[in-house]
Amino acid sequence: MAETRKHLLLVEDETPLREALAERLIEHGFDVEQSDSGEAAIEQLAEFAFDIVITDLRLPGLDGTRVLEAALVRYPDIVGIIVTGYGTVKDAVEAIKRGATDFVTKPFQFDELLHALNSALEQRRLKAEKGLEVLVVDYLQLMQAGGRFENRNLEISAITRSFKQLAK
């Protein structure tokens, strides 16, 4: 099965950096949408289900942690990476606590960001596989319980919804 392109929202208020990163990410197979503020990013998140959000920590208006929180509320499995030039250990710990999968400090080499991104996507893939295995076991146990579906509609519906969610 062919790998689908991942949709990425890049939130960075420094236009030259944002455009350069977007270009490189596109070269590496990502579909990239750009945003220059936290407010604009949240609007974009409301309109489209991104796989990944990479956001600067310090933005005018809403900061990157607020963008990440909004993304995670809407899409709990989204990969979130915080990038900042003003990062402290405390900032990194706080970002991870709030759901970031990684924290990258500026200046950085593009390969460092790409590695963080690919590692996070692999972790998400493995988590989804594990979830699928659990669902299959649940389904098989349900089938072995006599194959009777009366009084099991809620269980079957829950398993079916989970399969559909994982398939996205």
Side-chain angles (χ1 to χ4, degrees):
M1 186 163 103
E3 185 72 21
T4 59
R5 293 174 65 95
K6 299 296 182 199
H7 299 278
L8 186 148
L9 177 60
L10 179 60
V11 189
E12 171 60 63
D13 60 324
E14 296 176 33
T15 302
L17 176 59
R18 186 182 67 248
E19 290 176 350
L21 284 174
E23 186 177 317
R24 296 286 309 272
L25 289 163
I26 290 167
E27 289 171 1
H28 282 83
F30 295 94
D31 285 334
V32 179
E33 293 293 324
Q34 300 178 44
S35 183
D36 63 357
S37 72
E39 292 85 358
I42 289 174
E43 287 178 19
Q44 287 174 279
L45 286 162
E47 295 173 9
F48 188 81
F50 292 93
D51 300 296
I52 305 148
V53 62
I54 298 175
T55 181
D56 192 1
L57 178 61
R58 303 238 171 111
L59 296 165
L62 293 175
D63 70 12
T65 58
R66 300 291 180 239
V67 171
L68 179 62
E69 287 173 348
L72 288 166
V73 165
R74 190 172 286 274
Y75 313 107
D77 293 329
I78 196 168
V79 169
I81 297 177
I82 301 281
V83 176
T84 187
Y86 306 99
T88 64
V89 171
K90 181 181 176 188
D91 290 333
V93 169
E94 188 62 29
I96 300 299
K97 281 182 182 178
R98 291 183 182 216
T101 51
D102 214 329
F103 189 89
V104 179
T105 56
K106 298 177 190 173
F108 58 85
Q109 297 293 317
F110 178 76
D111 287 344
E112 180 183 354
L113 178 63
L114 192 60
H115 175 73
L117 185 53
N118 287 329
S119 293
L121 287 170
E122 179 64 9
Q123 287 173 6
R124 186 177 81 170
R125 185 188 67 75
L126 292 171
K127 181 180 173 186
E129 276 183 13
K130 178 118 174 104
L132 183 58
E133 289 173 12
V134 169
L135 286 173
V136 168
V137 168
D138 287 349
Y139 181 75
L140 292 174
Q141 288 174 345
L142 185 61
M143 296 300 291
Q144 288 177 346
R148 297 189 55 185
F149 292 108
E150 310 91 26
N151 303 325
R152 296 195 184 271
N153 288 341
L154 291 177
E155 292 174 31
I156 292 169
S157 295
I159 291 170
T160 302
R161 277 193 309 275
S162 297
F163 273 123
K164 288 178 181 177
Q165 182 67 26
L166 283 172
K168 289 182 182 179

